Every structure is written in C-alpha cells, then in structure tokens.
C-alpha cells in the first residue's frame, strides 16, 4: 500500500565526495520512509569499522564498488543498535519499541538519528546488553567468529594481523578461549592493548616481519603482503584468510592462493544474525568482553573516523546519536 512521504527532518552525517573526514558534514535530511519489507530504527549507538574509513576515503578500489567517482550512499555507518520506530507493510516480526541491532553494510546510513534497514537483517538486542555493546558486535563479531571461532582448535598457533582494532579485540579473545597460542600484530601504540585482551605474543608490524615464523591459522585484517610470504608463514596444514587490505593482495589471494598448495583464501563473511548467534551467546555469558576505546556524539563523527583512520583506536569506537 502506498504511504505518505515522511517529510520530518533528521540529523545525519553526510558526504558527497571521497576524501578526508573534512568531507563529512552534520546536516538535516529527510527522514527515510520504510519500504514494505523494511524497518525504520531510531539509532541509539553505531560502532565504527574500518569499512567506514575505506568508504570515506574510497580506498582500496573495492570500497568504490557502489560508486566509482562519488559515493552512492551519502551516509556511512553500518553497525547499529536502536529501537524500532516504524515498520513496512509486510513486516510482521518487529513492532515499534523493539530493541534491535544489525550490520547494515548493505544499505549503510548508521551515522544518523534514524535508519531504514531490511527487516530480515535485524536481530533482537539481548536485554542484558547495552545498545553500545550490541552496536559493536555485528561486523567485527562476524569476522572474528567466522575467521577464528569456526576454524581454530586447542593447541594451534594463531596469528591475527591488525589485531589491535575492533575485530582483533574479539578474535584474540576467541582464539584464547579455544585454547590457541595467539600472536597479535599491530602498530606499537596497540601492543599493550593486544596483551590486555589475551595475546600471548605481540608484534609491532613496523619493527618485525611476522611471516618469518610459522602458524596454523592466520587471520589477516589488513593484508598488504605477497601471497608467497603468507605461504611461508603457514605450517603444512595451515590456513591463511584474507579479510581486508590492499586490492593487489586481494587479487593475488584469489588468483594465486589456490596454486600455492596451501589453504590461502579470502574469508567472505556471511552476514546476518544466525551466523553470529554462537558468538552473541559467548558475549552474553561474559566469556567475550567488548572494549570501547572512545565514545563520540553524532556531530563528532569526523573526529571519530579520523581517530580510527590514523590508527589510534584500540578496540571499538562508538557514536551515540542520542548522546
Ligand atoms: N571479507 C569480508 O567479507 C569483510 C566483511 C566486512 C569487513 N571486511 C574488511 O575487514 C577489514 C578489517 O576491518 P576492522 O574493522 O577489523 O579493522 P580495524 O578495527 O581498523 O583494525 C585493523 C587494524 O590493523 C592495523 N593495521 C593497519 N595496517 C597494518 C599493517 N600493515 N600490519 C598490521 N596491522 C595494520 C590498524 O592500525 P593502524 O592503522 O595504526 O596500522 C588497526 O589497528 C576491513 O578492511 C574491512 O573492509 C571484510
């Protein structure tokens, strides 16, 4: 059934060109109206991911898949938690007032007071969990769960490259929980943080080449190396998983990875609540904790993204539009 247009404005952080955080402007825009299969959510918290930074600067090139010359989606922000405000006509699972969270990577728009998302990507926020914590889990938790939680066995040597950020914080804890010996790699500022969430060994990527030692599982969140360096760093039955990094390394992983005789693959992360459920249970049970480094208001999204992009974020960064 057609719906009347909703003309009431809302605040959102908008950008129209790829570039630095200076491109981001807090603006008044029309509140989106949910389509038949969508839900309008009032955002209580949005967590930052590196994918937001990549979407802002337009690099690597795969960050421009939605718009080569200029961004197709004008509002970044994908990991949201909030309350259902309004539902589309086909939506039966959700009611206004329900507390929900989601990775809205397919639509973006979380740096705003309200966001429209497909109903089927929403998950119910556990009652015991704050909106902030729930907003931290979807993307980083899915990568960590699928890259470590589903792959690691007790006694294995695990290396996580780029382990001082949001995903790494969860990945280190999961690997330790599963009984692995864990090495975290990141910049010097984050070494102590990686130890604090459980890493047995830490490496400053500017001081040491992690591919000189061998591991059973490597989860690479920021892959910039040659595929043969990764081959060298794997034990005979080891597994290397590319998650994010340079376009060159991505192509090498896809084209040459299968030819190396070792398991060198891209981890294509399955999105959606059901792929994250065991991880959420571990968080609810207090076995995995979320470390929020800093909190920012909606108007401070440029500062927040700069903080992440310049490599200072230890764990997660959260935006609170209501704060
Ligand atoms: N495969 C998929 O399906 C999928 C799905 C969603 C997201 N992703 C991708 O996953 C990636 C990881 O995101 P995230 O949110 O976990 O990142 P993050 O929280 O920003 O963590 C990445 C960490 O890596 C560090 N780093 C940068 N360059 C490094 C290097 N050369 N060696 C070691 N560490 C380095 C960063 O710090 P510094 O900047 O200070 O060095 C940062 O601490 C993103 O590229 C995103 O696009 C992939």
């Amino acid at each position: 059934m057609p719906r009347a247009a909703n003309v009431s404005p809302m605040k959102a952080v908008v950008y129209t060109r790829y570039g630095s955080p200076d491109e981001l402007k807090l603006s008044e825009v029309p509140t989106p109206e949910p389509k038949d299969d969508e839900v309008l959510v009032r955002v209580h918290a949005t967590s930052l991911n590196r994918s937001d930074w990549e979407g802002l600067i337009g690099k690597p090139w795969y960050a421009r898949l939605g718009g080569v010359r200029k961004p197709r989606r004008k509002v970044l922000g994908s990991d949201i938690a909030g309350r259902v405000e309004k539902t589309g006509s086909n939506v039966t699972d959700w009611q206004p007032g329900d507390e929900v969270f989601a990775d809205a990577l397919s639509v973006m728009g979380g740096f705003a007071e309200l966001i429209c998302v497909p109903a089927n990507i929403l998950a119910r926020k556990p009652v015991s969990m704050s909106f902030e914590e729930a907003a931290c889990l979807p993307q980083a938790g899915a990568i960590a769960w699928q890259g470590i939680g589903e792959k690691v066995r007790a006694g294995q040597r695990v290396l996580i490259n780029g382990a001082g950020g949001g995903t790494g914080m969860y990945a280190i804890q999961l690997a330790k929980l599963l009984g692995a010996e864990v090495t975290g790699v990141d910049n010097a500022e984050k070494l102590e943080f990686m130890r604090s969430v459980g890493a047995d060994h830490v490496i400053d990527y500017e001081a040491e080449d992690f591919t000189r030692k061998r591991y059973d599982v490597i989860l690479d969140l920021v892959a910039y190396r040659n595929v043969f360096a990764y081959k060298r760093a794997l034990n005979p039955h080891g597994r290397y998983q590319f998650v994010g990094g340079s376009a060159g390394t991505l192509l090498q992983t896809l084209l040459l990875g299968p030819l190396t005789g070792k398991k060198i693959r891209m981890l294509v992360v399955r999105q959606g609540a059901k792929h994250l459920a065991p991880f959420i249970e571990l968080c609810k049970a207090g076995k995995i904790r979320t470390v929020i480094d800093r909190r920012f208001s909606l108007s401070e999204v440029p500062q927040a993204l700069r903080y992440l992009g310049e490599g200072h974020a230890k764990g997660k960064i959260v935006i609170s539009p209501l704060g």
Side-chain angles (χ1 to χ4, degrees):
M1 187 189 290
R3 284 161 183 272
N6 186 340
V7 289
S8 61
M10 66 164 188
K11 290 197 177 72
V13 178
V14 175
Y15 78 131
T16 52
R17 291 190 307 197
Y18 295 115
S20 77
D22 297 337
E23 300 295 336
L24 299 162
K25 303 279 180 275
L26 183 66
S27 312
E28 292 224 323
V29 300
T31 298
E33 183 67 12
K35 298 193 186 100
D36 293 346
D37 295 319
E38 288 183 343
V39 172
L40 181 68
V41 176
R42 182 164 295 278
V43 180
H44 287 237
T46 304
S47 84
L48 265 56
N49 290 290
R50 181 158 288 255
S51 47
D52 294 310
W53 177 252
E54 293 165 341
L56 171 63
I57 64 173
K59 290 181 196 153
W61 61 259
Y62 56 74
R64 294 188 184 223
L65 284 178
V68 177
R69 292 168 65 82
K70 53 184 185 179
R72 184 161 62 97
R73 300 202 175 87
K74 306 286 184 281
V75 182
L76 292 164
S78 62
D79 276 4
I80 57 113
R83 273 205 181 84
V84 172
E85 184 94 355
K86 192 174 182 183
T87 57
S89 58
N90 292 342
V91 176
T92 52
D93 292 346
W94 302 107
Q95 307 292 329
D98 285 348
E99 297 185 349
V100 294
F101 69 108
D103 179 357
L105 191 62
S106 57
V107 289
M108 303 303 274
F111 297 150
E113 292 177 308
L114 294 130
I115 179 175
C116 266
V117 297
N120 62 6
I121 70 165
L122 287 175
R124 201 167 293 278
K125 180 182 82 61
V127 177
S128 60
M129 217 177 251
S130 67
F131 285 108
E132 288 189 344
E133 185 183 357
C136 290
L137 302 176
Q139 195 175 123
I143 298 172
W145 177 251
Q146 292 166 41
I148 297 291
E150 293 178 347
K151 308 274 167 52
V152 167
R153 295 190 310 278
Q156 287 188 315
R157 280 168 57 82
V158 171
L159 181 133
I160 299 150
N161 190 38
T167 304
M169 176 244 316
Y170 291 133
I172 290 174
Q173 293 182 69
L174 275 173
K176 284 305 295 173
L177 201 60
L178 292 165
E181 182 184 340
V182 183
T183 301
V185 186
D186 213 302
N187 67 43
E189 197 186 323
K190 300 186 188 179
L191 302 185
E192 196 42 51
F193 173 70
M194 292 189 289
R195 280 196 200 96
S196 75
V197 289
D200 300 294
H201 316 284
V202 292
I203 294 176
D204 170 1
Y205 69 81
E206 285 173 325
E208 195 181 330
D209 176 0
F210 77 80
T211 67
R212 298 284 161 191
K213 291 187 182 147
R214 289 184 158 203
Y215 300 89
D216 300 305
V217 175
I218 298 175
L219 182 69
D220 204 342
L221 305 168
V222 277
Y224 295 110
R225 303 292 303 277
N226 182 308
V227 80
F228 297 102
Y230 299 134
K231 178 184 176 186
R232 178 178 67 212
L234 285 178
N235 283 327
H237 298 291
R239 175 198 295 266
Y240 169 90
Q241 301 167 99
F242 174 103
V243 178
S246 79
T249 303
L250 169 64
L251 281 177
Q252 276 196 16
T253 304
L254 294 175
L255 298 176
L256 302 179
L259 307 178
T260 59
K262 297 227 173 135
K263 282 188 198 139
I264 296 182
R265 308 273 189 274
M266 177 173 179
L267 175 69
V268 181
V269 179
R270 304 182 306 282
Q271 286 178 4
K274 69 177 182 209
H275 301 298
L276 197 60
F279 177 75
I280 302 295
E281 289 306 313
L282 291 172
C283 296
K284 278 165 63 182
K287 293 185 175 166
I288 299 285
R289 67 189 171 102
T290 295
V291 182
I292 298 176
D293 179 357
R294 287 198 183 180
R295 295 162 170 85
F296 293 85
S297 67
L298 194 57
S299 63
E300 293 170 328
V301 165
Q303 292 96 305
L305 272 169
R306 196 182 299 281
Y307 184 72
L308 181 133
E310 290 179 353
H312 304 301
K314 299 168 202 71
K316 292 294 287 187
I317 307 294
V318 171
I319 307 296
S320 303
L322 301 180

